[in-house]
């Protein structure tokens, strides 16, 4: 699940404001479209410790509660993706098949790092430098 926190396929989630709300001093009137970027939610230190680092053990004790809206790779709340359990199972089956079929090894990049530095300030994840 850590990989989907860092590089979810969702570009943005949209909803229409049905009652006037205030967010960080900005008032959103009724009828305004509110967009949320799940990638940014997953990469903020307010939601996850050390969000820039890949930590495969981060969700060993389960995902955050859906009502906390911290993990949005499959949306959250009562309208979350019905295919989430199937997608999780497909990930496990695919990884098991890869590990059974191939001998994998970790290869460092040209600068010696095991993972490129990610830039998530623009709303999308991309390597901070060309590799």
């Amino acid at each position: 699940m850590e990989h989907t926190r860092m590089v979810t396929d969702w570009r943005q989630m949209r909803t229409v404001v049905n009652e006037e709300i205030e967010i960080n001093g900005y008032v959103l009137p009724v009828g305004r479209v509110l967009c949320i970027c799940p990638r940014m939610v997953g990469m903020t230190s307010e939601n996850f410790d050390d969000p820039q680092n890949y930590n495969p053990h981060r969700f060993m004790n389960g995902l955050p509660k859906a009502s906390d809206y911290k993990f949005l790779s499959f949306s959250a709340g009562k309208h979350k993706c019905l295919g989430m359990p199937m997608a999780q199972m497909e990930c496990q089956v695919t990884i098991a098949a890869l590990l059974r079929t191939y001998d994998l090894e970790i290869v460092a990049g040209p600068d010696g790092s095991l993972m490129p530095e990610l830039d998530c300030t623009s709303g999308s994840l991309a390597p901070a430098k060309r590799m």
Side-chain angles (χ1 to χ4, degrees):
M1 297 314 292
E2 177 70 347
H3 64 287
T4 61
R5 176 191 68 84
M6 297 182 82
V7 288
T8 182
D9 288 335
W10 285 64
R11 299 269 182 246
Q12 59 182 234
M13 296 164 41
R14 300 178 194 164
T15 188
V16 177
V17 176
N18 59 10
E19 63 182 54
E20 188 175 281
I21 58 172
E22 182 179 336
I23 301 174
N24 293 334
Y26 294 95
V27 175
L28 298 176
V30 173
R32 202 48 76 105
V33 175
L34 176 63
C35 297
I36 300 166
C37 180
R39 291 180 178 182
M40 297 299 291
V41 172
M43 296 299 291
T44 61
S45 58
E46 296 166 5
N47 293 330
F48 296 99
D49 294 331
D50 202 14
Q52 293 286 335
N53 285 325
Y54 180 82
N55 177 2
H57 304 293
R58 188 181 305 272
F59 300 117
M60 289 291 285
N61 296 323
L63 296 172
K65 291 187 302 187
S67 60
D68 290 343
Y69 295 96
K70 293 181 178 181
F71 182 80
L72 297 178
S73 295
F74 293 94
S75 192
K78 58 185 172 183
H79 298 291
K80 71 179 181 182
C81 178
L82 294 175
M84 181 176 166
M86 174 97 172
Q88 290 173 320
M89 187 183 315
E90 286 177 338
C91 285
Q92 291 175 356
V93 168
T94 301
I95 290 170
L98 287 172
L99 292 175
R100 185 179 63 242
T101 307
Y102 299 100
D103 292 325
L104 303 177
E105 63 182 86
I106 298 173
V107 179
D111 63 352
S113 68
L114 297 178
M115 183 169 169
E117 181 181 334
L118 298 175
D119 172 21
C120 67
T121 57
S122 65
S124 63
L125 291 175
K129 305 174 233 174
R130 286 200 180 264
M131 298 185 82

